[in-house]
């Protein structure tokens, strides 16, 4: 311990029982007498609870799948193997594409529909948005105008499909993956349990529409097609973003909501 | 691999990794992802680690390097700012911690990749030089040299900001 207080390593050693009894007693004696360290310990307990309650149930199935000996990504990358794969990549890609076409006729394609209304923004479960404006937090109302700096949180109730992808496209042409953040690959959620997407999205200052899509699918979804579709939508301009209500992807449930962003009044 | 062992290890080391990732990334969602990635890296080689303390050092090394890389990669991400509406109460001396932590993080962000983890463990986590060496598998001399290099860089930045 360099500092006068317990380090994070000290807390972890104590928690994991890695210390000799004398060292542990010394640290505990400090802990008993130090309000600062007690508060840090309390904060760590809160985070550990959060891990057990939220992170573990969601990520353990993914970890297990990725560590499965049958998962192709479970193999460690080694330079020599990588070179071989790079050399074979064009041929492998050709074979994979051919197999996919034979099996499905054509690759799954995301397409945009113009259904009559936004879906499941209220009632009926599904996707719900909460907006924090200043110190006020309110449920999002369809058609609302939001400001730069407003923060949005998402909740969703999966009703059968178990992999979630939340994406957005705005009038400035930017496409974003909001859950999992920055990744165009859906992540597992627990069926029938209301899921609060961790973190929030803070709106930037580019005015115009932003449309959010939530996609739930029975299998992990590669969002490459979704991203391509959204980029094409962005290229068609703000009005197209306002009117494209549905993102249709075979096998996936989708929800969509649009709002207008305006610059913060000075 | 048995599923029971996997679950037990994730329950044992997961909180440590998650707290570590939250501490460095200051973002709940990114910490979720980083925890998963760190554990995957750790699990694949956990059998090779001789003792529990060694395992802990190793977890720190993997998590710290992964998260510092994520901080570096943030610069290349979409322009939409993302923060957490944090529901965790942090009543204790929060302003001082944020200011000093933010300053340290900004200084460390400018450091050489080899210096970053050393500086983080020493200046932010408060580990002593010997512990930093154990975590990163570096000699104490190397730790001292890298801390000196960090100090030189930091001093230059301070001088520049004063002029």
């Amino acid at each position: 311990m360099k500092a006068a207080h317990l380090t994070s390593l000290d807390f972890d050693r104590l928690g994991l029982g890695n210390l000799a009894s004398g060292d542990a007693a010394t640290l505990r004696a400090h802990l008993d007498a130090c309000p600062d360290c007690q508060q840090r310990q309390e904060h760590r307990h809160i985070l550990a609870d959060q891990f057990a309650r939220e992170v573990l149930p969601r990520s353990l199935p993914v970890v297990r799948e990725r560590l499965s000996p049958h998962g192709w990504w479970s193999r460690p990358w080694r330079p020599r193997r990588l070179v071989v794969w790079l050399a074979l990549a064009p041929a492998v890609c050709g074979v994979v594409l051919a197999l996919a076409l034979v099996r499905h006729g054509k690759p799954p394609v995301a397409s945009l529909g113009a259904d009559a209304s936004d879906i499941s923004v209220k009632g009926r479960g599904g996707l719900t948005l909460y907006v924090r404006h200043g110190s006020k937090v309110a449920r999002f109302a369809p058609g609302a105008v939001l400001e730069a700096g407003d923060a949005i949180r998402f909740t969703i109730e999966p009703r059968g499909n178990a992999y979630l992808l939340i994406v957005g496209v705005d009038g400035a042409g930017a496409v974003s993956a909001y859950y999992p953040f920055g990744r165009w690959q859906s992540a597992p959620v627990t069926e029938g349990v209301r899921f609060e997407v961790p973190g929030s999205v803070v709106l930037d200052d580019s005015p115009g529409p932003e449309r959010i899509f939530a996609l739930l699918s029975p299998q992990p979804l590669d969002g490459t097609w979704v991203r391509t579709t959204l980029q094409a939508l962005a290229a068609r301009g703000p009005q197209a973003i306002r009117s494209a209500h549905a993102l249709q992807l075979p096998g996936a449930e989708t929800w969509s909501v649009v709002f207008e962003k305006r610059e913060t009044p000075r | 691999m048995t599923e029971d062992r996997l679950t037990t290890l994730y329950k044992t080391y997961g909180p440590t990794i998650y707290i570590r990732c939250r501490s460095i990334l200051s973002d709940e969602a990114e910490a979720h992802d980083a925890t998963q990635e760190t554990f995957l890296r750790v699990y694949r080689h956990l059998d090779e680690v001789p003792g529990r303390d060694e395992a802990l050092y190793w977890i720190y090394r993997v998590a710290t390097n992964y998260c510092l890389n994520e901080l570096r990669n943030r610069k290349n991400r979409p322009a939409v700012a993302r923060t957490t509406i944090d529901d965790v109460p942090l009543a204790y001396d929060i302003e001082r911690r944020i200011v000093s932590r933010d300053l340290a993080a900004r200084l460390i962000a400018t450091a050489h990749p080899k210096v970053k983890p050393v500086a983080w463990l020493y200046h932010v986590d408060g580990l002593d030089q010997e512990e930093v060496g154990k975590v990163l598998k570096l000699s104490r001399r190397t730790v001292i040299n890298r801390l000196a290099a960090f100090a030189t860089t930091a001093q230059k930045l301070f001088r520049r900001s004063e002029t």
Side-chain angles (χ1 to χ4, degrees):
Chain A
M1 183 167 78
K2 177 190 80 173
H5 301 289
L6 269 67
T7 66
S8 53
L9 198 57
D10 293 328
F11 279 113
D12 284 320
R13 280 180 178 143
L14 269 179
L16 292 168
N18 283 14
L19 289 166
S21 58
D23 294 337
T26 305
L27 292 182
R28 286 213 175 85
H30 175 89
L31 194 52
D32 288 343
C34 177
D36 192 19
C37 286
Q38 286 166 10
Q39 284 175 321
R40 286 176 62 210
Q41 188 184 38
E42 187 183 341
H43 178 51
R44 292 173 64 87
H45 284 160
I46 291 168
L47 292 178
D49 287 346
Q50 194 177 54
F51 172 83
R53 202 176 58 246
E54 297 173 15
V55 183
L56 179 74
R58 285 214 308 275
S59 56
L60 185 59
V62 180
V63 167
R64 182 167 290 138
E65 190 179 337
R66 290 183 64 182
L67 287 169
S68 159
H70 305 296
W72 64 270
W73 48 64
S74 66
R75 296 168 196 158
W77 279 30
R78 306 205 191 289
R80 195 176 300 165
R81 179 177 288 167
L82 184 61
V83 168
V84 172
W85 275 104
L86 285 174
L88 292 174
V92 171
C93 286
V95 171
V96 169
L97 186 61
L99 284 172
L101 288 172
V102 166
R103 190 172 169 194
H104 299 291
K106 58 182 181 179
V109 173
S111 62
L112 292 157
D115 293 348
S117 63
D118 287 337
I119 307 166
S120 293
V121 172
K122 55 184 179 179
R124 291 199 296 152
L127 178 70
T128 308
L129 276 67
Y130 296 88
V131 180
R132 186 183 68 181
H133 178 76
S135 59
K136 281 179 63 179
V137 177
R139 190 164 170 158
F140 174 80
V145 176
L146 307 181
E147 291 179 2
D150 286 352
I152 302 173
R153 292 201 72 156
F154 306 97
T155 67
I156 195 160
E157 290 180 34
R159 291 167 297 183
N161 287 322
Y163 288 85
L164 174 65
L165 179 67
I166 298 180
V167 296
V169 53
D170 72 12
V175 298
S176 309
Y178 292 132
Y179 184 79
F181 183 68
R183 293 188 182 181
W184 294 84
Q185 170 81 44
S186 61
V189 289
T190 307
E191 182 183 338
V193 177
R194 194 173 80 118
F195 173 60
E196 286 185 26
V197 174
S200 59
V201 175
V202 179
L203 299 182
D204 62 14
D205 57 0
S206 59
E210 171 147 6
R211 182 168 284 282
I212 307 285
F213 295 98
L215 297 100
L216 274 167
S217 56
Q219 301 294 329
L221 182 68
D222 180 349
T224 309
W225 295 304
V226 176
R227 181 166 52 186
T228 306
T229 305
L230 293 190
Q231 285 167 339
L233 176 62
R236 285 163 50 202
Q239 197 50 46
I241 292 171
R242 291 185 185 101
S243 58
H245 292 273
L247 190 62
Q248 291 157 354
L249 197 72
E253 286 181 281
T254 67
W255 290 266
S256 169
V257 61
V258 68
F259 52 82
E260 296 288 326
K261 287 188 289 183
R262 70 177 177 203
E263 292 180 52
T264 310
R266 293 174 190 277
Chain B
M1 179 190 75
T2 64
E3 290 190 354
D4 284 344
R5 180 171 182 269
L6 172 67
T7 306
T8 303
L9 287 172
Y10 201 33
K11 282 181 177 172
T12 303
Y13 292 114
T16 295
I17 298 172
Y18 179 63
I19 292 167
R20 181 101 200 109
C21 296
R22 274 290 295 257
S23 156
I24 298 175
L25 293 168
S26 299
D27 181 285
E28 194 179 317
E30 287 184 41
H32 284 205
D33 292 344
T35 300
Q36 188 177 302
E37 294 301 324
T38 300
F39 182 76
L40 281 166
R41 285 160 171 75
V42 166
Y43 182 84
R44 288 190 176 116
H45 304 281
L46 208 52
D47 287 335
E48 301 160 19
V49 181
R52 292 187 76 172
D53 230 22
E54 283 298 317
L56 190 56
Y57 291 149
W58 193 33
I59 286 167
Y60 264 61
R61 182 161 69 248
V62 174
T64 305
N65 286 330
Y66 182 88
C67 292
L68 290 177
N69 282 340
E70 284 297 294
L71 286 181
R72 185 196 62 202
N73 294 339
R74 267 184 192 170
K75 293 173 189 168
N76 305 323
R77 291 197 179 147
V80 178
R82 195 164 195 278
T83 59
T84 299
I85 299 174
D86 213 332
D87 54 0
V88 178
L90 287 170
Y92 62 97
D93 205 4
I94 187 71
E95 287 186 12
R96 181 177 62 80
R97 283 180 63 81
I98 286 177
V99 168
S100 59
R101 193 181 176 286
D102 181 59
L103 177 62
R106 278 188 287 141
L107 287 171
I108 291 168
T110 65
H112 187 277
K114 284 185 176 177
V115 173
K116 279 182 186 178
V118 176
W120 191 281
L121 290 166
Y122 186 79
H123 290 292
V124 180
D125 290 326
L127 271 57
D128 64 28
Q129 293 167 355
E130 190 182 345
E131 286 174 325
V132 174
K134 282 180 179 170
V135 168
L136 298 175
K137 283 206 164 180
L138 297 172
S139 69
R140 188 159 179 196
R141 173 49 51 196
T142 305
V143 171
I144 290 169
N145 288 343
R146 289 185 186 175
L147 287 173
F150 175 70
T152 306
T153 310
Q155 280 169 358
K156 280 180 190 167
L157 284 169
F158 278 131
R159 277 197 216 110
R160 203 180 302 162
S161 66
E162 283 168 1
T163 55

